[in-house]
Amino acid sequence: MAEIIQKDGTWTFDGDAVRIVPGRDKGVGLLRQTLGEVVVPLRALAGVSHEPGRRAGRLRLRLRDGADPLLQVTGGRLPEASDPYRLTVDADRTGVAEYFVDEVRNALLLDQVDPGPADAYLLPGPAVPITVAAGDGTVAFDGDRVALDWNWTTEEAKCSGGPREFRIADLRAVEWSPSKGLDNGWIRFTLAGAPAAPAPKYDPYTVELFGFKKDPLMALVASAVAVRMPHPRGAAAPAEPAPALPKPPVPELAASAPEPAAPEDHDALLRRLRELGDLHQGGILTAEEFAAAKQAVLRRF
């Protein structure tokens, strides 16, 4: 087991999962504190790295694209203080951080974990029920129903229809965007069959965010909803199967292969061996055909 304890939090790896417990340091954002402990299964990881620094370094987990609903809805736009997969490491703990990285990387290699995109969520997302008040409204989600309520900052055109409530089965999409500069952020719920949405300020299915402390918590609501909706890749229509290619002619057997009149270039023969290996791996050559063709090439060295 590998473990590293820092002011930012504690990371533990037991060979099957990385357990992340946020710290209480002032640099730990409200989102991380609210989210609490996160358990990342090994099969959800694409990689891990340690970035050393003069005063402090950083440990970073890289998750497979589509494995975590929080990363799916935030799209890399979380501020560092809110990122649960980043850990600040003191300079005197560099050796521990590098050992942690080695342990995780070795496990990924031994288990032959596919680092490519996932077609299903591998993390459960935030616990429900969850309620967050930020910007011009409050969002409550119990795992099935989403309720929106408004406050005194809400535009009349938005709040005139009163609170909104809908089931997750009626949703087509949930989106989150952070405040940036002078531009407000938002969390938007798009219902199936709904027309194009107006600006967040006027949309009765969007909470506008003004850039205050609790704004990132709306990303937790968005991910709690997203994990209960069809996965973006799992919901995609299956691609049409590619037409079968004609089987190339099988190389001559060793017994019938004529001896070359002169020695052939070794690099060319090595390339031929690699080509035969690719044909075998692709299922075009049987094991017997591959063995015979390989012997034929080896006789030419």
Side-chain angles (χ1 to χ4, degrees), residues 21 38 62 76 78 88 98-99 144 166-167 169 183 195 225 255 259:
V21 179
V38 177
R62 184 166 58 88
L78 279 176
T88 300
E98 291 176 348
Y99 172 74
D144 180 49
F166 45 88
R167 300 187 64 182
D183 296 329
V225 172
E259 291 290 339

Side-chain angles (χ1 to χ4, degrees), residues 285-297:
L285 292 180
T286 65
E288 293 78 9
E289 292 169 343
F290 171 67
K294 179 180 175 182
Q295 288 299 320
V297 174

